[in-house]
Amino acid sequence: MSTRRKFLGTSIAGIAGLSLLPAINTFASENNIYNRQNTKKLKLRFALASDLHYGQEGTDSDLNAANIVKWLSEDHAKNHLDMIIINGDLVNNRPDLLPVVKTKYFDKLPVPYYTIPGNHDFADAAVWKNVFGYEDKFTVDHGDIGFVFANTADTKGAYVCPDNTFIKTSLEAFKDKKIVFVILHIAPVQWLKSEVAIFLDCPDTIELLHAYPNVKAVFHGHDHSLDGVRYTGKLPHFFDSHVGGSWGTEYKGYRIVEVDEDNAIYTYQVNASQNPLLNSNKL
């Protein structure tokens, strides 16, 4: 599968051994089974998938959309999911297809799901509310865990920094939560000089996220070739590959996040398409 650009040697995709309360950033095994070291009861388990690009010419959009429903339904049947997050670029420059992909595919997901626009959705608050019933920035309250979602693009596909006033208000409302996760399709920081045209440069957003110790991770889509973690200071930013589109990692997959009863967080990437196998070695 082609890639949109090449990373420098300092790219950080696929790092293992992340410390996050603690956490593990790794890949599921060949049969997509992940054995956690910690066997404590989970209070929350959710999946993040991004970049379906439904309607992109030259791709089998319907197969890709059907696959993500199939993969996540199977994951739920085996391991239980509490919720699913679709992190942007649901469609490919065709906002008129948003109702189609919602009704034909996403509404068949086995658990509640939440979506946020990407730069290829060409959507604002009005468009998103008309299709999904909520605007392009919102929060989800899950007991002592909070989620903050915010749009990072406009209706013409231009990248825009998220609404920091909304983020601050949301983080203030969640300041007594044990854990807060932030969902932004496009990362608000450029880690490498070569990425000026790929990510956003939003220092005020980064400063805001760092000001709240209970913000434990930020999740991004957008860059189909990233499936690991990068950091701003000690704050991890996770990527989840892609479930559609014409470029990116050789496989299609999604990310799982698990929070146990002691608020330890575990996360790993699933190679759902099994093409190619990950971490496979022959000695």
Side-chain angles (χ1 to χ4, degrees), residues 181-193:
F181 295 126
V182 178
I183 316 298
L184 305 171
H185 179 69
I186 303 174
V189 60
Q190 297 164 3
W191 284 276
L192 305 174
K193 291 182 179 179

Side-chain angles (χ1 to χ4, degrees), residues 2-23:
S2 62
T3 56
R4 186 161 57 185
R5 78 289 178 275
K6 294 182 179 179
F7 278 95
L8 299 177
T10 50
S11 176
I12 323 175
I15 289 180
L18 169 68
S19 291
L20 179 60
L21 291 184

Side-chain angles (χ1 to χ4, degrees), residues 191-216:
W191 284 276
L192 305 174
K193 291 182 179 179
S194 61
E195 295 173 338
V196 170
I198 298 165
F199 297 131
L200 286 159
D201 182 19
C202 310
D204 291 343
T205 302
I206 296 299
E207 182 178 0
L208 188 56
L209 296 176
H210 282 233
Y212 291 83
N214 62 347
V215 175
K216 301 302 182 184

Side-chain angles (χ1 to χ4, degrees), residues 75-113:
D75 196 311
H76 174 61
K78 292 178 182 178
N79 305 301
H80 180 75
L81 288 167
D82 294 294
M83 56 186 281
I84 292 166
I85 294 170
I86 311 296
N87 193 358
D89 285 357
L90 285 62
V91 298
N92 196 74
N93 306 344
R94 290 280 306 276
D96 59 299
L97 291 178
L98 286 168
V100 176
V101 74
K102 175 189 184 294
T103 303
K104 190 174 181 180
Y105 295 106
F106 293 157
D107 284 352
K108 295 179 180 178
L109 289 167
V111 297
Y113 70 91

Side-chain angles (χ1 to χ4, degrees), residues 109-124:
L109 289 167
V111 297
Y113 70 91
Y114 303 94
T115 63
I116 198 72
N119 53 297
H120 285 279
D121 292 308
F122 290 5
D124 58 8

Side-chain angles (χ1 to χ4, degrees), residues 45-93:
R45 184 175 188 271
F46 64 96
L48 299 113
S50 67
D51 298 278
L52 174 60
H53 288 271
Y54 189 79
Q56 183 179 11
E57 185 176 352
T59 68
D60 194 337
S61 292
D62 285 295
L63 176 61
N64 290 336
N67 275 340
I68 193 59
V69 174
K70 172 178 177 287
W71 293 332
L72 291 173
S73 296
E74 290 175 347
D75 196 311
H76 174 61
K78 292 178 182 178
N79 305 301
H80 180 75
L81 288 167
D82 294 294
M83 56 186 281
I84 292 166
I85 294 170
I86 311 296
N87 193 358
D89 285 357
L90 285 62
V91 298
N92 196 74
N93 306 344

